[in-house]
Amino acid sequence: MQTETQTMLSHSISAMLDKHQPSDRLREGLAATNLWGALVELGLAGAEIPEAFGGLGLSFTDIAPMFEDLGRGLATTCYLEFAVMGTWLLHASDNLVAHGLLAGAATGDTRAVLTFSEFGSAGDPAFARTSATATAAGWSLNGAKSVVVGGSLATHLLVPAMQDGKLALFLVPADAPGVTRHSLQLYDASSAADITLDNACVAASHLLARGEQASALITLALDRARAALCHEAVGLMAAVHDLTLDYVKSRKQFGQPIGAFQTMQHRLATMFMDLELCRSAADVATSAAQHSATPQQRMQAVSAAMVTLCQCARNIGQSAVQAHGGIALTREYQAGHYFKRLTMIERYLGTGDDHLERYIALAS
Amino acid sequence: MQTETQTMLSHSISAMLDKHQPSDRLREGLAATNLWGALVELGLAGAEIPEAFGGLGLSFTDIAPMFEDLGRGLATTCYLEFAVMGTWLLHASDNLVAHGLLAGAATGDTRAVLTFSEFGSAGDPAFARTSATATAAGWSLNGAKSVVVGGSLATHLLVPAMQDGKLALFLVPADAPGVTRHSLQLYDASSAADITLDNACVAASHLLARGEQASALITLALDRARAALCHEAVGLMAAVHDLTLDYVKSRKQFGQPIGAFQTMQHRLATMFMDLELCRSAADVATSAAQHSATPQQRMQAVSAAMVTLCQCARNIGQSAVQAHGGIALTREYQAGHYFKRLTMIERYLGTGDDHLERYIALAS
Amino acid sequence: MAFDYSPQDLQFADDVRAFIQANLDAGVRKKILSGMLPTRSEREKWQKSLYARGWAAPSWPVEFGGTGWTVVQRHIFDEVLTEEGAPGFPVFGMSMLAPVLMRFGTERQKREILPAILTMDDFWCQGFSEPGAGSDLAGVRSTARLEDGFWIINGQKIWTTLAHEANKIFVLVRTSVAEKKQLGLSILLLAMDTPGITVRPIITIDNHHEVNEVFFDDVRVPAENIIGEEGLGWTYAKFLLGHERTSIARIGQSRRELKRLIATASTIPWRDGMVSQAPWFKRRHAQIEIRHRILEATTLRLLAMVAEGGKPGSEANLLKIHGSEVQQDLAELWMDVVGEYGFAYGQDAIADIGEMVPWEANYVAGSYFNSRKLSIYGGSNEIQRNIIAKSALGL
Amino acid sequence: MAFDYSPQDLQFADDVRAFIQANLDAGVRKKILSGMLPTRSEREKWQKSLYARGWAAPSWPVEFGGTGWTVVQRHIFDEVLTEEGAPGFPVFGMSMLAPVLMRFGTERQKREILPAILTMDDFWCQGFSEPGAGSDLAGVRSTARLEDGFWIINGQKIWTTLAHEANKIFVLVRTSVAEKKQLGLSILLLAMDTPGITVRPIITIDNHHEVNEVFFDDVRVPAENIIGEEGLGWTYAKFLLGHERTSIARIGQSRRELKRLIATASTIPWRDGMVSQAPWFKRRHAQIEIRHRILEATTLRLLAMVAEGGKPGSEANLLKIHGSEVQQDLAELWMDVVGEYGFAYGQDAIADIGEMVPWEANYVAGSYFNSRKLSIYGGSNEIQRNIIAKSALGL
């Protein structure tokens, strides 16, 4: 059951997306259209920042469901990276420098991204190889961060690095000396950057957290993002399910709509169930991200949701293509673009294999 | 392509089974009918024993395919236990006492079983806890063997036991002092025994092999049995597939044969494919058991076959029940009995999980 | 328990649990946890203790003896009963016949029949399926013709659960010939000891006697023993089968099994450790547990919808499909947990080797075979998918 | 290689491998191994080197330029070519058009058309599918009417592979109106530069240009450019599509991918080790490898059957279904092996971080998306199951 806030947000997003139909954006080339600006205009850049810092003071539970609308509209926004992870971390870190950035974050001018992945770290900052060493002026960072979504648009980087054998989290201005960004475009139309840190120097005050505290912060940021991702997936799945349903009702073969064939009906019924299960997974993950009694409970619940999400995203995406036939694989038609985004979501914040493993590790 | 010997054996088995139809045996209670005696009458007890020892001197490749006929006829025979594992081990062990038993084995009067499983050993003799200690007269064995199929009908036991930290294989007369057998009946109508060895004593000459040699012998015996089991499974699957096909052609629902529904057709098509894949698995396993260049190659090929077998046996068994509906779960109808035997086969000489693990371990 | 229950709900769950622990016979509990069936008298004793507490029929309106609980309380009650191994409610009378009578029955039928269901003085079975009419009830061929104020029933029913323990039966029969096969059916009520009724056991491959064939040979029953109008039996049957659909996923039972599995697996050796440490066990258990958890969230989502006056649609079919598969996966995992002992046939067949073999081993194969029916009965999983395609998707 | 090949067969495989290593351009090889398409001129160069060696068309009878090999040799040849990353044969001309011409074509057609296929001086594409006729070819609506000794063709084809590189096309068109939709179709042969033909590229989501739409607007072609009899095009089309079915499982390509996967996975870090040591990688790779191995044994069983004069039935449909699934599973595993780089879009998009990222990463997502077509084209996997049910099972 939706709260009033959730309903209101959902309406704003839908209205905004009406102006930016996926079909239009497909024509222009999806990549050209990052809707971050549109979300900023709606005042959502600082949705979760307390009002005292210029934000809206909403809770995660308030904003998570709007990802379903974003998914349905196939919107590329970096909202997950800039707001759910970046801005939230700036606030949650309890660091003066970071808090000083919140006013800019609330207007969308400051955009911080968590650079959680390195080549070979399996997306898990605990396996970061980037290192931080103390200097007279503060810290010097060395390492490489991989395929950071939003990385080329960010003004600040939140960099997990090993310091004295322990994980620590640093705030690094994107234009700091020693930071090099190499932009790359991704198949789902988001833009990313490979980032190298070559003696990148920041002041001592830019250490946001270290040890247990750093791990806890980063893990929570990622789990929140995972919950939001589940909601986005629900929207994507619902949209591609609708597309497929319409298609099988109108497309004829052997003298009847292909939706009249029982195996096609069962395929669509299975897609429907996958969608419903993913809806439940989104509930589980969001509730856990907001309310869980312990981090362990939260992580288990989120990983349960992610295992489900990955499975359902894969089934629905592949099924939609199979039901459509060749047309779903053409650039002109929408279904294939949903399929691509679902394929990325299935891997972006841990694969199903990764999350099953985390779930098991937490159970024993 | 069958050889002449294979064709001849297949005919004998079919003719024998014509006299012992599964439906008759079901009425009598399958358990009552162990067809070992009928196979002995056909002269097959010593099929693989060299003619010099009173056998037929056939190769494993010659006899393996006849398991398909046995499976098709849902025959409970203990041929796997007494001949493929037991008698073969007596001969392969190159031990005088064991060789002395071969004449009796060729007439079916001597029946040796490999007691490969202990509770908790996962069917793998490498994890045997039964121990052997040297005595003045020979060896004293202590331990417990679990659910030994054919164990209550056997005249001799082939007992894997740990001796000085190494695996060894002992020949123990079933009536030796210290041997207790507790019979139990299994769901697939075979009979088994739990066997305890309480200071069971045998002469020094009854040690058949130890260390690497014992492991190699036992593993090969089990791999041969696995290959034969694949053939039996092919027969069981073919029979239950035929039963199901007949059923869906004649059974009507909603005004047409249930075989007219496309999902039912696809279910049957999938069963057909599982059957064909299992046929290939049987080829792979048999060829490996007979010809493999190295034990490692053999074990990998056999485990590949077993992974396939376990999956196909499960799919076909469950699908046959689902296609039939309730009737397949009644004692009067044949399909359920095939399902039970397939369910046991899926676990008898290692589960699919076990064999996938062995396959991976051999690869790395 | 799980998810977003209120403190009051959790307190209620504790109360229910305490009641069960105080009132349920330990032998019956163990029997049920092992997948065995309680006897009729064991069921009746338990039902009477619920009756004494006022909890005999939580799904009924208060005027007929219901509890007035919220849907969430009713859900919790069912779940706790299941977790604790209490006998299930007598569903055929309580959850199928009773709602139909409350809606379509005569005052006299309500007055005479409902109280005996509450106390289980009457134990009802359901005569719907026939050899030619399983998932397709319109194929019913048993007939009843009206003669001198009596229905004369002839025909055969199959898969009649517990017909050998029941003293009453409601049957779907053809009372008139109609163009459309769905018309001309009626539901009649009769006592099992009426002359002309013969019950023949069907023994299943797990060697259990739970279902039966029931034969009707010129069985006479007064004309008034009909539900509602003659010829509308199809409508009533659909109404009757549509009840209690959110409980169909058996969330409580699966949770119980998940816990028991872990507990048992940690007592059974496997190679150098215990089964609970084996990678295959951990992986498969986690996969089922995750699926169960998401299914539970789905159930609660539906309950919330019902609580707000909504009507769940095809989500109930989803619960049936996934709920049955979860139970089947559990039954399969049990087989592998007890290893070679999973195949021992018949109760207490297993010798107690070093007292290591768990008593569950005597039942796991039977439970596995029996679990296959879960995707067949109550509308096979194929039928459930047909329904989703038709009613939710318009295909 | 594998299984029970004779020493002669193994020697033959070595000869083929040596020939490829001596003649195949390294750039082309790398391109193909990465899942990219060779250009027409690269294909042609390779085909001409096979022609020079007398190996241009192993599937053809010797009289037309075939090799006279056994079915096992032909299988080995295909497998080794695939393993080594050689361009595929020009299938539309060689394996589809040519067998039909040999059987139903005129002497002049055989004399003029076949040699140019051998040398690839002609590169054929196939105009069968239409927007309303995919798996159901009887739905073809393009027409050709005979006027003054010319066929006048109008209509549209879709999914025409490499139409933009081909210089010839054979099209299935409706040449007369018949009661039964399967009648009245014919196959016509024409040059791509005939006036009135327009080719429009279809760009797929992996950003490749492989397929096209082809439009026919009053295209004129001499009356003799028809295959066999007017109106029997459906029969010829079925004959044409029925060829080369045992190679459909692409056993060689999957074996190549299994090896490359292991090799690449052992160069990519994963946590404290390498991807090749990750449990998920080992499990999934082993599962695919096992499936592949059994599929290979199935293929060899069929080849043995063919070699003895038998005719494989539905086993070919099995190979199509399982072969495509194995390839799709491989493409999916590739995605997870290269991790976050799997999503980089476009060739050479990836910055070379410490030279660790393998070049394959540039192609895996495209290959994965593209792999989904394998269960769609050439008769979708659903159609394959329909065929099994009908022809092998009589349902």
Side-chain angles (χ1 to χ4, degrees):
Chain A
M1 305 304 113
Q2 286 205 316
T3 65
E4 265 180 60
T5 311
Q6 289 169 340
T7 309
M8 198 195 66
L9 283 174
S10 175
H11 286 169
S12 319
I13 300 289
S14 302
M16 180 275 282
L17 288 171
D18 279 347
K19 284 185 263 166
H20 303 274
Q21 285 296 321
S23 52
D24 297 338
R25 281 180 286 129
L26 284 179
R27 252 191 299 279
E28 300 164 21
L30 258 176
T33 325
N34 185 308
L35 297 179
W36 168 252
L39 293 175
V40 170
E41 273 176 42
L42 291 174
L44 292 173
E48 284 189 88
I49 305 180
E51 294 176 49
F53 288 102
L56 302 178
L58 299 179
S59 74
F60 181 65
T61 320
D62 290 328
I63 64 156
M66 78 183 187
F67 275 89
E68 185 174 335
D69 300 291
L70 293 171
R72 207 177 259 278
L74 198 56
T76 312
T77 65
C78 289
Y79 194 79
L80 194 73
E81 290 76 17
F82 296 157
V84 176
M85 292 195 277
T87 301
W88 180 84
L89 271 170
L90 289 178
H91 179 251
S93 69
D94 244 347
N95 170 291
L96 277 180
V97 183
H99 280 202
L101 296 174
L102 286 174
T107 62
D109 296 326
T110 297
R111 296 172 300 276
V113 289
L114 175 64
T115 62
F116 59 86
S117 78
E118 296 186 13
F119 189 57
S121 74
D124 185 346
F127 293 91
R129 279 169 205 159
T130 296
S131 64
T133 43
T135 64
W139 301 98
S140 167
L141 302 173
N142 281 285
K145 299 292 181 179
S146 300
V147 193
V148 180
V149 174
S152 44
L153 305 170
T155 59
H156 292 77
L157 311 175
L158 295 157
V159 180
M162 288 297 162
Q163 185 258 320
D164 249 0
K166 279 188 179 163
L167 188 65
L169 182 63
F170 295 90
L171 175 65
V172 181
D175 56 4
V179 174
T180 316
R181 292 188 279 184
H182 170 89
S183 291
L184 64 167
Q185 196 187 323
L186 304 188
Y187 258 110
D188 69 341
S190 31
S191 86
D194 278 346
I195 300 176
T196 45
L197 302 156
D198 185 9
N199 279 321
C201 291
V202 292
S205 58
H206 283 53
L207 169 62
L208 301 187
R210 75 168 108 191
E212 295 287 314
Q213 200 207 344
S215 297
L217 261 183
I218 295 171
T219 312
L220 178 50
L222 287 169
D223 278 346
R224 287 162 39 85
R226 287 169 181 134
L229 206 60
C230 288
H231 285 281
E232 186 189 337
V234 168
L236 290 159
M237 289 178 187
V240 83
H241 184 255
D242 287 352
L243 276 174
T244 310
L245 195 53
D246 288 347
Y247 187 80
V248 303
K249 282 178 180 172
S250 62
R251 163 80 171 168
K252 284 187 179 157
Q253 222 168 41
F254 303 105
Q256 53 185 330
I258 58 177
F261 291 98
Q262 197 190 20
T263 52
M264 189 61 89
Q265 294 179 347
H266 282 204
R267 182 182 287 283
L268 270 293
T270 302
M271 289 171 73
F272 167 83
M273 291 193 287
D274 283 334
L275 169 60
E276 289 300 310
L277 293 176
C278 198
R279 246 184 243 291
S280 302
D283 287 353
V284 167
T286 306
S287 167
Q290 181 83 325
H291 303 299
S292 275
T294 69
Q296 189 202 349
Q297 281 175 1
R298 182 198 75 227
M299 288 159 75
Q300 252 206 324
V302 169
S303 280
M306 288 299 287
V307 167
T308 309
L309 164 72
C310 292
Q311 228 157 45
C312 296
R314 175 173 177 269
N315 291 349
I316 288 198
Q318 294 183 351
S319 259
V321 172
Q322 186 71 20
H324 275 91
I327 189 164
L329 297 174
T330 63
R331 207 173 53 182
E332 276 83 50
Y333 188 74
Q334 284 190 38
H337 297 276
Y338 283 96
F339 171 50
K340 287 197 291 185
R341 178 66 188 155
L342 283 169
T343 304
M344 171 149 179
I345 279 187
E346 202 195 317
R347 292 166 173 86
Y348 180 42
L349 298 173
T351 64
D353 285 328
D354 293 337
H355 282 286
L356 184 61
E357 196 193 306
R358 185 170 89 152
Y359 185 92
I360 291 169
L362 289 163
S364 31
Chain B
M1 305 303 113
Q2 286 204 315
T3 64
E4 265 180 59
T5 311
Q6 289 170 340
T7 309
M8 198 196 66
L9 283 173
S10 175
H11 285 170
S12 318
I13 299 288
S14 301
M16 181 275 280
L17 288 171
D18 280 347
K19 283 185 263 167
H20 304 274
Q21 284 296 321
S23 52
D24 298 337
R25 282 179 287 129
L26 284 179
R27 254 192 299 280
E28 300 163 22
L30 259 176
T33 325
N34 185 309
L35 297 179
W36 168 251
L39 293 175
V40 169
E41 273 176 42
L42 291 175
L44 291 172
E48 284 189 88
I49 306 179
E51 294 176 50
F53 288 101
L56 301 179
L58 300 178
S59 73
F60 180 64
T61 319
D62 290 328
I63 64 157
M66 78 183 187
F67 274 89
E68 185 174 332
D69 300 290
L70 293 172
R72 206 177 261 277
L74 198 56
T76 312
T77 65
C78 288
Y79 193 80
L80 194 74
E81 289 76 16
F82 297 157
V84 175
M85 290 195 278
T87 301
W88 180 84
L89 271 170
L90 289 178
H91 179 251
S93 69
D94 246 348
N95 169 292
L96 276 180
V97 183
H99 281 203
L101 296 174
L102 286 175
T107 62
D109 296 325
T110 297
R111 296 172 299 276
V113 289
L114 175 64
T115 62
F116 59 86
S117 78
E118 296 186 13
F119 188 58
S121 75
D124 185 345
F127 292 91
R129 279 168 206 161
T130 296
S131 65
T133 43
T135 64
W139 302 99
S140 167
L141 301 174
N142 281 285
K145 298 292 182 180
S146 300
V147 194
V148 179
V149 174
S152 45
L153 305 170
T155 58
H156 292 76
L157 311 175
L158 295 157
V159 180
M162 287 297 162
Q163 185 257 318
D164 249 0
K166 280 191 178 161
L167 188 66
L169 182 64
F170 295 89
L171 175 65
V172 181
D175 56 4
V179 174
T180 317
R181 291 188 279 184
H182 171 88
S183 291
L184 65 166
Q185 197 187 322
L186 304 187
Y187 258 110
D188 70 340
S190 31
S191 86
D194 278 347
I195 300 174
T196 46
L197 303 156
D198 185 8
N199 279 321
C201 291
V202 292
S205 57
H206 284 53
L207 170 62
L208 301 186
R210 76 167 108 191
E212 293 289 313
Q213 200 206 344
S215 297
L217 262 182
I218 295 170
T219 312
L220 178 50
L222 287 168
D223 278 346
R224 288 163 38 86
R226 287 169 183 135
L229 206 61
C230 288
H231 285 281
E232 186 189 338
V234 169
L236 289 159
M237 289 177 187
V240 83
H241 184 255
D242 288 351
L243 276 174
T244 310
L245 195 53
D246 287 348
Y247 186 81
V248 303
K249 283 178 179 171
S250 62
R251 163 80 172 168
K252 285 188 178 158
Q253 223 167 38
F254 303 105
Q256 53 185 332
I258 58 177
F261 291 99
Q262 197 190 19
T263 53
M264 188 61 89
Q265 294 178 349
H266 282 204
R267 183 182 287 284
L268 270 293
T270 303
M271 289 171 73
F272 167 83
M273 291 193 287
D274 282 334
L275 169 60
E276 290 300 310
L277 293 176
C278 198
R279 245 183 244 292
S280 302
D283 286 353
V284 167
T286 306
S287 166
Q290 181 82 327
H291 304 299
S292 275
T294 69
Q296 189 201 349
Q297 283 175 0
R298 183 197 73 227
M299 288 159 75
Q300 252 206 325
V302 169
S303 281
M306 288 299 288
V307 167
T308 309
L309 163 73
C310 291
Q311 227 157 47
C312 296
R314 174 172 175 271
N315 291 350
I316 287 198
Q318 294 182 352
S319 259
V321 172
Q322 186 70 21
H324 275 91
I327 189 162
L329 296 174
T330 63
R331 207 172 54 181
E332 276 83 50
Y333 189 74
Q334 284 190 37
H337 298 275
Y338 282 95
F339 171 50
K340 287 197 291 185
R341 177 67 187 156
L342 283 169
T343 304
M344 172 148 177
I345 279 185
E346 204 196 316
R347 291 165 173 85
Y348 181 43
L349 298 174
T351 64
D353 286 327
D354 294 338
H355 282 286
L356 184 60
E357 196 193 307
R358 186 170 90 153
Y359 186 91
I360 292 169
L362 289 163
S364 31
Chain C
M1 310 301 294
F3 218 51
D4 288 340
Y5 289 121
S6 72
Q8 291 87 331
D9 289 337
L10 295 172
Q11 178 58 50
F12 173 70
D14 289 343
D15 294 347
V16 175
R17 210 177 298 276
F19 173 81
I20 299 168
Q21 279 156 10
N23 289 276
L24 181 60
D25 181 84
V28 174
R29 181 172 192 272
K30 185 168 175 184
K31 209 166 177 178
I32 288 170
L33 292 178
S34 71
M36 303 283 288
L37 294 172
T39 62
R40 172 168 171 181
S41 67
E42 285 164 347
R43 283 171 181 277
E44 195 176 328
K45 188 173 163 236
W46 171 245
Q47 181 65 22
K48 285 191 156 61
S49 68
L50 287 175
Y51 181 73
R53 182 70 176 78
W55 290 353
S59 62
W60 287 11
V62 176
E63 53 176 310
F64 293 110
T67 52
W69 289 336
T70 65
V71 281
V72 173
Q73 281 177 308
R74 278 168 50 192
H75 175 70
I76 291 172
F77 185 71
D78 286 348
E79 297 291 287
V80 176
L81 254 61
T82 313
E83 279 184 27
E84 294 294 325
F89 282 107
V91 282
F92 298 113
M94 184 172 297
S95 311
M96 298 184 156
L97 178 59
V100 175
L101 286 182
M102 290 174 196
R103 177 82 175 270
F104 304 103
T106 62
E107 285 312 309
R108 184 172 158 198
Q109 284 172 336
K110 294 181 202 170
R111 199 172 58 239
E112 290 184 354
I113 297 174
L114 297 179
I117 292 176
L118 279 184
T119 56
M120 230 184 107
D121 288 331
D122 279 346
F123 186 47
W124 287 84
C125 65
Q126 167 192 285
F128 275 16
S129 292
E130 296 189 6
S135 290
D136 177 20
L137 279 183
V140 158
R141 282 179 304 183
S142 293
T143 59
R145 62 176 196 277
L146 201 55
E147 258 182 43
D148 306 326
F150 280 85
W151 292 105
I152 318 291
I153 307 171
N154 281 284
Q156 180 194 351
K157 294 293 174 182
I158 196 169
W159 311 125
T160 316
T161 303
L162 299 182
H164 57 299
E165 295 206 323
N167 64 324
K168 302 269 181 168
I169 185 168
F170 53 95
V171 289
L172 186 68
V173 290
R174 194 161 289 286
T175 45
S176 55
V177 179
E179 181 85 3
K180 203 162 168 269
K181 273 171 55 187
Q182 283 78 5
L183 297 177
L185 295 169
S186 302
I187 300 180
L188 304 180
L189 310 169
L190 51 168
M192 285 299 287
D193 58 4
T194 316
I197 296 181
T198 313
V199 175
R200 216 187 77 179
I202 297 174
I203 307 300
T204 43
I205 55 172
D206 56 354
N207 220 27
H208 273 163
H209 176 198
E210 182 175 2
V211 290
N212 302 273
E213 290 178 290
V214 183
F215 297 87
F216 297 84
D217 184 14
D218 282 335
V219 176
R220 290 163 59 87
V221 47
E224 74 225 41
N225 282 25
I226 188 171
I227 297 185
E229 280 181 58
E230 186 275 321
L232 294 187
W234 170 261
T235 311
Y236 306 147
K238 289 274 139 183
F239 179 86
L240 181 155
L241 292 172
H243 266 260
E244 293 289 345
R245 294 175 72 185
T246 53
S247 64
I248 213 162
R250 302 211 207 182
I251 296 295
Q253 185 176 325
S254 294
R255 189 183 311 110
R256 182 180 89 195
E257 290 300 303
L258 281 161
K259 280 187 196 161
R260 275 180 63 222
L261 251 175
I262 286 270
T264 306
S266 64
T267 68
I268 299 182
W270 186 79
R271 297 193 180 169
D272 296 327
M274 291 292 167
V275 170
S276 56
Q277 295 149 351
W280 57 266
F281 175 81
K282 290 207 246 183
R283 190 175 64 249
R284 286 166 61 190
H285 188 274
Q287 281 166 333
I288 303 173
E289 193 171 79
I290 287 170
R291 212 170 158 197
H292 174 264
R293 190 168 187 154
I294 300 300
L295 211 54
E296 180 178 45
T298 310
T299 306
L300 292 170
R301 199 150 52 82
L302 294 199
L303 286 176
M305 201 189 293
V306 174
E308 303 207 349
K311 240 190 126 165
S314 289
E315 294 87 352
N317 306 105
L318 179 161
L319 292 180
K320 165 69 167 63
I321 294 172
H322 283 269
S324 59
E325 288 176 2
V326 162
Q327 291 172 75
Q328 290 174 334
D329 286 352
L330 278 166
E332 234 176 296
L333 185 51
W334 265 112
M335 287 286 284
D336 292 329
V337 164
V338 301
E340 61 268 43
Y341 283 99
F343 256 77
Y345 170 83
Q347 205 176 331
D348 303 321
I350 299 169
D352 207 350
I353 293 206
E355 297 181 1
M356 289 188 305
V357 185
W359 57 272
E360 283 96 340
N362 286 302
Y363 308 99
V364 297
S367 295
Y368 170 64
F369 299 139
N370 195 37
S371 79
R372 300 315 306 173
K373 78 179 180 198
L374 298 171
S375 50
I376 295 172
Y377 74 177
S380 73
N381 284 8
E382 287 85 358
I383 300 274
Q384 303 293 333
R385 281 192 166 82
N386 286 350
I387 295 173
I388 293 175
K390 194 172 165 191
S391 53
L393 310 180
L395 286 171
Chain D
M1 310 303 293
F3 218 52
D4 289 341
Y5 288 121
S6 72
Q8 292 86 332
D9 289 337
L10 295 173
Q11 177 58 50
F12 173 70
D14 289 343
D15 294 347
V16 175
R17 210 177 298 275
F19 173 80
I20 299 168
Q21 279 155 9
N23 289 277
L24 181 60
D25 180 83
V28 173
R29 181 172 191 270
K30 185 169 175 183
K31 209 166 178 178
I32 289 171
L33 291 178
S34 71
M36 303 284 287
L37 293 173
T39 62
R40 172 168 171 183
S41 68
E42 285 164 348
R43 284 171 181 277
E44 195 175 328
K45 188 174 164 236
W46 171 246
Q47 180 64 23
K48 284 191 158 59
S49 69
L50 287 175
Y51 181 75
R53 181 69 176 82
W55 291 351
S59 62
W60 287 12
V62 176
E63 53 177 311
F64 293 110
T67 53
W69 289 336
T70 64
V71 281
V72 173
Q73 280 177 308
R74 278 169 48 192
H75 174 71
I76 290 172
F77 185 71
D78 286 347
E79 296 292 288
V80 175
L81 253 61
T82 312
E83 278 183 29
E84 296 293 326
F89 282 106
V91 282
F92 298 113
M94 184 173 298
S95 311
M96 298 184 155
L97 178 60
V100 176
L101 287 182
M102 291 174 196
R103 176 82 174 270
F104 304 103
T106 61
E107 285 311 310
R108 186 174 156 194
Q109 283 172 337
K110 293 181 202 171
R111 198 172 58 239
E112 291 184 354
I113 297 173
L114 297 179
I117 292 176
L118 279 185
T119 56
M120 230 184 106
D121 288 332
D122 280 345
F123 185 46
W124 287 84
C125 64
Q126 167 193 296
F128 275 16
S129 292
E130 295 190 6
S135 290
D136 177 20
L137 279 184
V140 158
R141 282 178 303 184
S142 292
T143 59
R145 63 177 197 279
L146 201 54
E147 258 182 46
D148 306 326
F150 282 84
W151 293 104
I152 318 291
I153 307 172
N154 280 285
Q156 179 194 352
K157 294 292 173 182
I158 196 169
W159 312 125
T160 316
T161 303
L162 300 182
H164 57 299
E165 296 207 323
N167 63 323
K168 302 270 180 165
I169 185 169
F170 52 95
V171 289
L172 186 67
V173 290
R174 194 161 289 287
T175 45
S176 55
V177 179
E179 181 86 4
K180 202 159 168 274
K181 274 171 55 187
Q182 283 78 5
L183 296 178
L185 295 169
S186 301
I187 300 180
L188 304 179
L189 310 169
L190 51 167
M192 286 300 286
D193 58 4
T194 316
I197 295 182
T198 314
V199 175
R200 215 186 78 181
I202 297 175
I203 307 299
T204 43
I205 55 172
D206 56 353
N207 220 26
H208 273 164
H209 177 198
E210 183 175 3
V211 290
N212 303 273
E213 291 178 289
V214 183
F215 298 87
F216 297 84
D217 183 15
D218 283 336
V219 175
R220 290 164 57 88
V221 46
E224 73 226 40
N225 282 25
I226 188 170
I227 298 185
E229 282 180 56
E230 185 276 320
L232 294 187
W234 169 263
T235 310
Y236 306 146
K238 289 273 138 183
F239 179 86
L240 182 154
L241 293 171
H243 266 260
E244 292 288 345
R245 294 176 71 184
T246 53
S247 65
I248 213 161
R250 301 209 206 184
I251 296 294
Q253 185 176 323
S254 294
R255 188 183 311 110
R256 181 181 88 195
E257 291 300 303
L258 281 162
K259 281 187 195 160
R260 274 180 64 223
L261 251 175
I262 285 270
T264 307
S266 63
T267 68
I268 299 181
W270 186 79
R271 298 192 179 169
D272 296 327
M274 292 292 167
V275 171
S276 56
Q277 294 148 352
W280 57 266
F281 175 81
K282 290 206 246 183
R283 190 174 63 250
R284 286 167 61 190
H285 188 272
Q287 281 167 333
I288 304 173
E289 192 171 80
I290 287 171
R291 213 171 157 198
H292 174 264
R293 191 168 186 154
I294 299 299
L295 210 54
E296 180 179 45
T298 310
T299 306
L300 292 169
R301 199 149 51 82
L302 295 200
L303 286 176
M305 200 190 291
V306 174
E308 302 207 351
K311 241 191 126 163
S314 289
E315 294 87 352
N317 306 105
L318 179 160
L319 292 180
K320 165 70 167 61
I321 293 172
H322 283 268
S324 60
E325 288 177 2
V326 162
Q327 291 172 76
Q328 290 174 334
D329 287 351
L330 278 165
E332 234 177 296
L333 184 50
W334 265 113
M335 288 285 284
D336 293 328
V337 164
V338 301
E340 61 269 43
Y341 283 99
F343 256 77
Y345 169 82
Q347 204 175 331
D348 304 320
I350 299 169
D352 206 351
I353 294 206
E355 297 181 0
M356 290 188 304
V357 184
W359 58 273
E360 283 96 340
N362 286 302
Y363 309 98
V364 296
S367 295
Y368 170 65
F369 299 138
N370 196 38
S371 79
R372 300 315 307 173
K373 77 178 180 200
L374 298 171
S375 50
I376 295 172
Y377 74 177
S380 72
N381 284 7
E382 287 85 357
I383 300 273
Q384 302 294 333
R385 282 192 164 82
N386 286 349
I387 296 173
I388 293 176
K390 194 172 164 192
S391 53
L393 309 180
L395 287 172

